[in-house]
Amino acid sequence: MKKLFMRCDHPLQAAHYANVLRAAGIGCQVRNTTLAGAMGDIPFLECAPQLWLDSSLDEGYARQLIAEVQQQLDAPPWRCVCGEDIEPQFGACWRCGALRPV
């Protein structure tokens, strides 16, 4: 086991990263998803969700995938051929189903 992220901002972010890694065939686990209720009794950084890899050999590729996801989220919205403005994390238009241009 190898800890990939000391902490994620919230459980949904950790789950999203884990889904991206699993889709790429990288085994991982999300830990500390229920410790938020103990904040105050336990230091804040110890309560945050953590992402762990099953194999340390996957660390380089996993960091690359997560960096790509973060870069997509920082991108500006894109305009579909139908004229709809779509948030950057979506790969297809909700209105017409067209794929995001490359």
Side-chain angles (χ1 to χ4, degrees), residues 22-62:
R22 290 179 186 134
I26 297 175
C28 61
Q29 296 177 13
V30 177
R31 296 183 178 178
N32 294 357
T33 58
T34 58
L35 287 179
M39 201 176 309
D41 293 328
I42 299 174
F44 171 74
L45 294 178
E46 298 298 320
C47 296
Q50 300 173 344
L51 187 59
W52 287 73
L53 299 176
D54 291 345
S55 171
S56 61
L57 299 176
D58 293 325
E59 182 178 5
Y61 185 45

Side-chain angles (χ1 to χ4, degrees), residues 77-86 101:
W78 56 278
R79 182 166 294 253
C80 181
V81 293
C82 72
E84 190 66 33
D85 288 326
I86 309 294

